Amino acid sequence: DNMCGTKFLGGNICLDNLFDRLVKSNSTHFKVNYNPQKFPGLFIKFNGNTLSETLLIFKSGKINSVGLKRPNQFFGIR
């Protein structure tokens, strides 16, 4: 079973800048995808044994997390 979660940051996000910064990080822990002409959100797919979720980040500040196995995997839970 997969779970999903939602988080609202309370402000707008510049997805173009976020995408550029994530791509420049050259991280091997995640892949980032953003094509605003096809979909209005930025995708971050995490690679790993302990974390395999996908974050969908929207310019409104909303973040959807899909593919979770346990609730404590969601970044917004402390």
Side-chain angles (χ1 to χ4, degrees), residues 5-21:
T6 343
K7 180 83 174 174
F8 180 62
L9 297 179
N12 290 341
I13 300 172
C14 181
L15 295 180
D16 292 318
N17 288 345
L18 178 60
F19 178 71
D20 289 341
R21 292 178 74 183

Side-chain angles (χ1 to χ4, degrees), residues 2-70:
N2 285 323
M3 302 177 75
C4 62
T6 343
K7 180 83 174 174
F8 180 62
L9 297 179
N12 290 341
I13 300 172
C14 181
L15 295 180
D16 292 318
N17 288 345
L18 178 60
F19 178 71
D20 289 341
R21 292 178 74 183
L22 291 171
V23 168
K24 288 178 184 176
S25 75
N26 290 324
S27 177
T28 59
H29 299 288
F30 61 84
K31 293 180 185 177
V32 62
N33 233 340
Y34 180 54
N35 185 345
Q37 294 170 350
K38 286 189 176 184
F39 188 77
L42 183 144
F43 289 86
I44 302 174
K45 170 71 176 159
F46 290 90
N47 312 327
N49 296 334
T50 58
L51 191 63
S52 59
E53 72 179 304
T54 299
L55 295 179
L56 288 86
I57 304 174
F58 297 93
K59 68 179 179 179
S60 66
K62 289 188 179 182
I63 300 174
N64 293 337
S65 178
V66 295
L68 301 171
K69 300 296 180 188
R70 292 180 304 279

